[in-house]
Amino acid sequence: MDQSLFRIGELAAKANVSPRTIDFYTSIGLIRPVKRTAGNYRLYGPETIERLKRIEQLKKEKYTLEEIKEMLDGWKRISSEEQISRKLTDLQLSLSKLQREVKELEPVLSRLKPHQARSVCKRLMPQTAACVEALLLLIDKATIL
């Protein structure tokens, strides 16, 4: 057997999902085996591991399996440039939404006592700054493309 191909059990262990999940995802077309052995075992390529990890991440983000299938199928059809452009647009929309939510919180934050405000800011500032910096870097890279 080709060393870069995996049976269901091996794939399940590497992707940290159950073999039943792999069977189900195969049955609904989320993943596809690369080939079959003489004994009719399904064999999956290494790219399937990444695809499974992406599926599980999207599930954690509350996407349905049908939505995930549409997304993954759509990514195969579009160029990487279009994909980056769409993702940046999505990120800009998310940033706008977060800015609106911050403005909604400003009245609440202004009523906090100084020690409460410092505590909240200490917890939020590092993550917020890192997110904003990452978004700005991505947006700058997009203008270069």
Side-chain angles (χ1 to χ4, degrees), residues 130-141:
C131 289
V132 169
E133 187 174 339
L135 285 171
L136 291 173
L137 285 171
L138 284 171
I139 291 168
D140 284 342
K141 286 182 181 178

Side-chain angles (χ1 to χ4, degrees), residues 101-120:
E101 289 176 3
V102 166
K103 285 184 182 182
E104 290 173 10
L105 284 175
E106 283 177 349
V108 174
L109 292 174
S110 67
R111 286 184 258 144
L112 292 176
K113 295 178 182 173
H115 71 280
Q116 291 172 320
R118 276 194 299 276
S119 175
V120 169

Side-chain angles (χ1 to χ4, degrees), residues 8 12 16-23:
I8 290 175
N16 200 27
V17 296
S18 73
R20 289 185 70 194
T21 298
I22 291 174
D23 280 336

Side-chain angles (χ1 to χ4, degrees), residues 2-57:
D2 188 341
Q3 295 292 29
S4 63
L5 298 178
F6 309 100
R7 287 184 177 182
I8 290 175
E10 298 166 322
L11 182 65
K14 290 189 178 292
N16 200 27
V17 296
S18 73
R20 289 185 70 194
T21 298
I22 291 174
D23 280 336
F24 179 67
Y25 289 171
T26 301
S27 73
I28 64 171
L30 272 173
I31 60 173
R32 291 180 181 84
V34 175
K35 68 180 187 177
R36 290 189 176 260
T37 65
N40 208 27
Y41 288 103
R42 288 173 280 176
L43 298 176
Y44 297 86
E47 66 282 348
T48 308
I49 297 168
E50 292 308 313
R51 188 171 174 100
L52 285 166
K53 288 179 181 178
R54 183 69 181 137
I55 291 167
E56 292 304 305
Q57 181 59 42

Side-chain angles (χ1 to χ4, degrees), residues 69-78 86:
K69 187 173 186 324
E70 288 175 18
M71 274 188 249
L72 295 176
D73 290 345
W75 290 342
K76 286 192 291 188
R77 288 190 302 264
I78 61 175
R86 285 184 186 172

